[in-house]
Amino acid sequence: MSAIALLAILLAQPATADDNAPSTRRTDAVDHDFGLAMPDPYRWMEGEGNQEFTTWLDAQGRRTREKLDTLPTLAAWRERLAAAAAAGTRHSQHRLEGERLFFLRAVAGKERMLLVRDVDGEEHTIFDANAQQGASISGYTVAPGGDQVAVNITRGGNEAGELAVFDAATGNVVETLRPVWSEFNAQWLPDGTGFAYTRMRTEGGGDPMLGTTAYLHHVGDAPDKDVLLARAGEKDALKIVANDFPLVFLPQQSDWAVLLIAGARASFRVCEAPVAALSRAKPGWRCIVDDADAVQSFDVRGDTLYLLQAGGAPNRHLLALDLRKPDAKLADAQEIVAERPDVVLSELSVARDALYLKVMRHGLDSIERMDYTTHARQPVAMPGEGSIYLMRTDPRQDGTLLSLEGWTTPRKVYRYGSATSKLVDTGLGALGEREYPGLVAEETEATSADGTKVPLSLIHPKNLPRDGSAHAIVFGYGGYGMSMQPGFATDNLEWANAGNVYAICHVRGGGENGDAWRIGGTGPNKQRGIEDFIACAKELAARGLTTPARTAGFSGSMGGLLTGGAYTTAPDAWGAMVVQSGMFNPTRILSAKNGANQVAEIGDPRTPAGMRQLLAMDPYQHVKEGTSYPPLLLVVGLVDQRVPPSESGKFGARVMAANANTPVWFRTGAQFGHFATSANEHALEMADIYAFLDAYLKTPR
């Protein structure tokens, strides 16, 4: 190597110690719950409106921004990722209302807009979020007949937003209700005169996610006239705990309303009442399914409630229950489709002609069409392998809308007609995306510490040298039973197209191998998922794709427990770690809003067993003084409503205190919540991340 080349490499490496880092106050706070000693030197960072922490984090963010802007590959990544984001037009959340097709469109990486395509193919815009500063669309529902649309709108990255009703013909706003969480869509009455919706709590201060309430609203009425359907935390017959969410569904072509009592967990309670009873406050809900029954998907056709249950059947079986029976209970349900050992039944959806089942095998989806009378099932022929993220049916119409995409194949959206048994491309998938003919996606396995085979998906150049010289990212999540299935993500593909490896580690805690896989990495088993994640990194090195010093871990949100655990458990396995909006301090979940919602998934700190369980998985509590940890980049949204920024602040501060030579950077954003809302903002974020990894993962190639 020439002296000039060596000098260039050395100049590209950021300094380790930083004399200009903002000072960080430590205290001697220690919790002694249930006889446990849990030092918390950065407790002072917690709390809403904490000006001292805000000032500290702002200084950290400005310092990191200055350092990011000096990285030698940042400009190239910005150009590359911005071009990839702007190349495509992406469509999502398609809905048919008669022969009119509603959908969201994002052009050139901008925020999404809501459009409708008429029978003659002509399109018009109902609402363009780009026309309002900071606005974004998180979801929408269409009134029967298609005259009105209820749109969930958030602003400035804050997921606590509003529900705006638009006239579909003119695009005018009819009325606006607030505050509504971004994922709580309206459910229209069959006659289109109103809808059920869930409103966040506004009175009393504290966590607005506690005590949410389901209402029936008639369009044009003042909110104070809304009929109360169910409220969390109220001492009534339903006994909905304060941190659960009551969500009312109004299936079309049915006289029954369904109350779903859900939270941040893989199961939910199911109750029902006649739609006619909703006009009175607190209709007589009859609860059929409890959390312990492990029901994970449902739909209704007429008087029949269909359920996908994992309890006693980890890969799920399909049940049918007649709601007309006065004392109907889950034990009365008939098994329609038995559990199968080789596939996971992951979703069901009711159409007029048939029930459509989504089936997952080794992370890849297929569709089966089931006859209502004979229960006979026929596969729907798909044009290739991949993930089906959209399966939209309507009990008033035949067939279904389906999407299909792969790791390197852009999304296409089809309309399936049962009369012809054919898929017709709507032309409203991902259009104009970059192509990646030089990449290959392969499915393999890693062997975890206990011998379990862990699915591992790899994306890399076809002719990548097996000499350990490539940089690699290992992504994982492992929460709520969510499956990391194939998806066409240009930022991941651009990383691989630059000669790197992008790996997806399907750790326990996810749902890729059914509910047993979820349970195997949840709660007291959280460490198993962490061991899986470490095993995936080691597998890349064993295959000669990279080395530990050239391998980065990457995740976010609940994945902070995974990456934080892998970071503190096996620091030598990583060359760097990146975490977005991460959860790092679960022993303190009840100290912040949305924390109570996580108890069912990770544990209850108010009990001895729960606290010990949380302490075992708490990365903040497992940072060891004097340990040489790899470089750490923490991405923090300042208006994050799901995970408080203080979790990243506390974890980063403790890592810095453990060893002054460990680089810890904070990428902050004032208009950034739990995630970026547009592809362009996401591209800027990923450019920072990739430039950081280029600088800190060991070179040369």
Side-chain angles (χ1 to χ4, degrees), residues 421-460:
S421 298
K422 291 183 179 179
L423 295 171
V424 177
D425 190 345
T426 64
L428 293 176
L431 308 177
E433 296 281 12
R434 284 189 170 185
E435 297 182 354
Y436 298 89
L439 297 182
V440 61
E442 61 174 303
E443 304 296 334
T444 185
E445 293 177 328
T447 303
S448 196
D450 63 355
T452 299
K453 298 296 183 182
V454 182
L456 176 61
S457 303
L458 305 177
I459 307 170
H460 57 77

Coordinates of all heavy atoms in Angstrom, one line a residue, residues 421-460:
S421 N -60.0 -16.5 -12.3 CA -58.9 -17.1 -11.6 C -57.5 -16.5 -12.1 O -56.5 -17.2 -12.1 CB -58.9 -18.6 -11.7 OG -60.0 -19.1 -11.1
K422 N -57.6 -15.2 -12.4 CA -56.4 -14.6 -12.9 C -56.0 -13.3 -12.1 O -56.9 -12.6 -11.6 CB -56.5 -14.2 -14.4 CG -56.6 -15.4 -15.3 CD -56.7 -15.0 -16.8 CE -56.7 -16.2 -17.7 NZ -56.8 -15.7 -19.1
L423 N -54.8 -13.0 -12.1 CA -54.3 -11.7 -11.6 C -54.2 -10.7 -12.7 O -53.6 -10.9 -13.7 CB -53.0 -11.9 -10.9 CG -52.9 -12.8 -9.7 CD1 -51.4 -13.0 -9.3 CD2 -53.6 -12.2 -8.5
V424 N -54.7 -9.5 -12.4 CA -54.6 -8.4 -13.4 C -53.8 -7.3 -12.7 O -54.1 -6.8 -11.6 CB -56.0 -7.8 -13.8 CG1 -55.8 -6.6 -14.7 CG2 -56.8 -8.9 -14.4
D425 N -52.7 -6.9 -13.3 CA -51.8 -5.8 -12.8 C -52.5 -4.5 -12.8 O -53.0 -4.0 -13.9 CB -50.5 -5.7 -13.6 CG -49.4 -4.9 -13.0 OD1 -49.8 -4.1 -12.0 OD2 -48.3 -4.9 -13.4
T426 N -52.7 -3.8 -11.7 CA -53.4 -2.6 -11.6 C -52.5 -1.4 -12.1 O -53.0 -0.3 -12.4 CB -53.8 -2.2 -10.1 OG1 -52.6 -2.1 -9.4 CG2 -54.7 -3.3 -9.6
G427 N -51.2 -1.7 -12.2 CA -50.3 -0.6 -12.6 C -50.0 0.4 -11.5 O -49.4 1.4 -11.7
L428 N -50.4 0.0 -10.3 CA -50.3 0.9 -9.1 C -49.4 0.2 -8.1 O -49.7 0.3 -6.9 CB -51.7 1.3 -8.5 CG -52.5 2.1 -9.4 CD1 -53.9 2.3 -8.8 CD2 -51.9 3.5 -9.7
G429 N -48.3 -0.4 -8.5 CA -47.3 -0.9 -7.6 C -46.2 0.1 -7.4 O -46.5 1.3 -7.4
A430 N -45.0 -0.3 -7.3 CA -43.8 0.6 -7.3 C -43.4 0.8 -8.8 O -43.0 -0.2 -9.4 CB -42.7 0.0 -6.5
L431 N -43.4 2.0 -9.2 CA -43.1 2.3 -10.7 C -41.8 3.0 -10.8 O -41.5 3.9 -10.0 CB -44.2 3.1 -11.3 CG -45.6 2.5 -11.1 CD1 -46.7 3.4 -11.7 CD2 -45.7 1.1 -11.7
G432 N -41.0 2.7 -11.8 CA -39.8 3.5 -12.1 C -38.6 3.2 -11.1 O -37.7 4.0 -11.0
E433 N -38.7 2.1 -10.3 CA -37.6 1.9 -9.4 C -36.3 1.5 -10.1 O -36.4 1.0 -11.2 CB -38.1 0.7 -8.4 CG -39.3 1.0 -7.6 CD -38.9 1.9 -6.4 OE1 -37.8 2.4 -6.3 OE2 -39.7 2.0 -5.5
R434 N -35.2 1.7 -9.4 CA -33.9 1.3 -9.9 C -33.9 -0.2 -10.0 O -34.6 -0.9 -9.2 CB -32.8 1.8 -9.0 CG -32.5 3.3 -9.2 CD -31.2 3.6 -8.4 NE -30.8 5.0 -8.8 CZ -29.7 5.5 -8.3 NH1 -28.9 4.8 -7.5 NH2 -29.3 6.7 -8.7
E435 N -33.1 -0.8 -10.9 CA -33.0 -2.2 -11.0 C -31.6 -2.6 -10.4 O -30.7 -1.8 -10.5 CB -33.1 -2.7 -12.4 CG -34.5 -2.4 -13.0 CD -34.6 -2.9 -14.4 OE1 -33.6 -3.3 -15.0 OE2 -35.7 -2.8 -15.0
Y436 N -31.5 -3.8 -9.9 CA -30.3 -4.3 -9.2 C -29.9 -5.7 -9.7 O -30.0 -6.7 -9.0 CB -30.5 -4.3 -7.7 CG -30.8 -2.9 -7.1 CD1 -32.1 -2.4 -7.0 CD2 -29.7 -2.1 -6.7 CE1 -32.3 -1.2 -6.5 CE2 -30.0 -0.9 -6.2 CZ -31.3 -0.4 -6.1 OH -31.5 0.9 -5.6
P437 N -29.6 -5.8 -11.0 CA -29.3 -7.1 -11.6 C -28.0 -7.7 -11.0 O -27.8 -8.9 -11.1 CB -29.2 -6.8 -13.1 CG -28.8 -5.4 -13.1 CD -29.5 -4.7 -12.0
G438 N -27.2 -6.9 -10.4 CA -25.9 -7.4 -9.9 C -26.0 -8.0 -8.5 O -25.0 -8.5 -8.0
L439 N -27.2 -7.9 -7.9 CA -27.4 -8.4 -6.5 C -28.0 -9.8 -6.5 O -28.8 -10.1 -7.4 CB -28.2 -7.4 -5.7 CG -27.6 -6.0 -5.5 CD1 -28.5 -5.2 -4.6 CD2 -26.2 -6.1 -4.9
V440 N -27.8 -10.5 -5.5 CA -28.4 -11.8 -5.2 C -29.0 -11.8 -3.8 O -28.4 -11.3 -2.9 CB -27.4 -13.0 -5.5 CG1 -26.3 -12.9 -4.5 CG2 -28.1 -14.3 -5.4
A441 N -30.1 -12.4 -3.7 CA -30.7 -12.7 -2.3 C -30.7 -14.1 -2.1 O -31.2 -14.9 -2.9 CB -32.1 -12.1 -2.3
E442 N -30.2 -14.5 -0.9 CA -30.1 -16.0 -0.6 C -30.6 -16.2 0.8 O -30.5 -15.3 1.7 CB -28.7 -16.5 -0.8 CG -27.7 -15.9 0.1 CD -26.3 -16.6 0.0 OE1 -26.3 -17.8 0.3 OE2 -25.3 -15.9 -0.3
E443 N -31.3 -17.4 1.0 CA -31.8 -17.7 2.3 C -30.9 -18.8 2.9 O -30.7 -19.9 2.2 CB -33.2 -18.2 2.2 CG -34.2 -17.2 1.5 CD -34.4 -15.9 2.3 OE1 -34.2 -16.0 3.6 OE2 -34.6 -14.9 1.7
T444 N -30.4 -18.6 4.1 CA -29.6 -19.6 4.8 C -29.9 -19.6 6.2 O -31.0 -19.2 6.7 CB -28.1 -19.3 4.5 OG1 -27.3 -20.3 5.0 CG2 -27.7 -18.0 5.1
E445 N -29.0 -20.2 7.1 CA -29.3 -20.3 8.5 C -28.0 -20.0 9.3 O -26.9 -20.2 8.7 CB -29.8 -21.7 8.9 CG -31.2 -22.0 8.3 CD -31.6 -23.4 8.7 OE1 -30.7 -24.3 8.7 OE2 -32.8 -23.7 8.9
A446 N -28.2 -19.6 10.5 CA -27.1 -19.5 11.5 C -27.4 -20.4 12.6 O -28.6 -20.7 12.9 CB -26.9 -18.1 12.0
T447 N -26.4 -20.9 13.3 CA -26.7 -21.8 14.5 C -26.5 -21.0 15.8 O -25.4 -20.5 16.0 CB -25.7 -23.0 14.5 OG1 -25.9 -23.7 13.2 CG2 -26.0 -23.9 15.6
S448 N -27.5 -20.9 16.6 CA -27.5 -20.1 17.8 C -26.8 -20.8 18.9 O -26.4 -22.0 18.8 CB -28.9 -19.7 18.2 OG -28.9 -18.7 19.2
A449 N -26.6 -20.2 20.0 CA -25.8 -20.7 21.1 C -26.4 -22.0 21.7 O -25.7 -22.9 22.1 CB -25.8 -19.7 22.3
D450 N -27.8 -22.2 21.6 CA -28.4 -23.4 22.1 C -28.6 -24.5 21.0 O -29.3 -25.4 21.2 CB -29.7 -23.1 22.8 CG -30.7 -22.5 21.8 OD1 -30.4 -22.2 20.7 OD2 -31.9 -22.3 22.3
G451 N -28.0 -24.2 19.8 CA -28.1 -25.2 18.7 C -29.3 -24.9 17.8 O -29.4 -25.6 16.7
T452 N -30.1 -23.9 18.1 CA -31.3 -23.6 17.2 C -30.8 -23.0 15.9 O -29.9 -22.2 15.8 CB -32.2 -22.6 17.9 OG1 -32.7 -23.2 19.1 CG2 -33.4 -22.2 17.1
K453 N -31.5 -23.5 14.8 CA -31.2 -23.0 13.5 C -32.0 -21.7 13.3 O -33.2 -21.7 13.4 CB -31.5 -24.0 12.4 CG -30.7 -25.3 12.5 CD -29.2 -25.0 12.3 CE -28.4 -26.3 12.3 NZ -26.9 -26.1 12.2
V454 N -31.3 -20.6 13.0 CA -32.0 -19.3 12.9 C -32.0 -18.9 11.4 O -30.9 -18.8 10.8 CB -31.2 -18.2 13.7 CG1 -31.9 -16.9 13.6 CG2 -31.1 -18.7 15.1
P455 N -33.1 -18.6 10.8 CA -33.2 -18.2 9.4 C -32.4 -16.9 9.2 O -32.5 -16.0 10.0 CB -34.7 -18.0 9.1 CG -35.4 -18.8 10.2 CD -34.5 -18.8 11.4
L456 N -31.7 -16.8 8.1 CA -30.8 -15.7 7.8 C -30.9 -15.3 6.3 O -30.7 -16.2 5.5 CB -29.4 -16.0 8.2 CG -28.3 -15.0 7.9 CD1 -28.5 -13.6 8.6 CD2 -26.9 -15.5 8.2
S457 N -31.4 -14.1 6.0 CA -31.5 -13.7 4.6 C -30.3 -12.8 4.3 O -30.0 -11.8 5.1 CB -32.8 -12.9 4.4 OG -33.9 -13.7 4.8
L458 N -29.7 -13.0 3.1 CA -28.5 -12.2 2.7 C -28.8 -11.5 1.4 O -29.3 -12.2 0.5 CB -27.3 -13.1 2.6 CG -26.9 -14.0 3.8 CD1 -25.8 -14.9 3.5 CD2 -26.6 -13.1 5.0
I459 N -28.4 -10.3 1.3 CA -28.4 -9.6 0.0 C -27.0 -9.0 -0.2 O -26.4 -8.3 0.7 CB -29.4 -8.4 0.1 CG1 -30.8 -8.8 0.5 CG2 -29.5 -7.7 -1.3 CD1 -31.7 -7.7 0.8
H460 N -26.4 -9.4 -1.3 CA -25.0 -9.0 -1.6 C -24.7 -9.1 -3.1 O -25.5 -9.7 -3.9 CB -24.0 -9.8 -0.8 CG -24.1 -11.3 -1.1 ND1 -23.6 -11.9 -2.2 CD2 -24.7 -12.3 -0.3 CE1 -23.9 -13.2 -2.2 NE2 -24.5 -13.5 -1.0

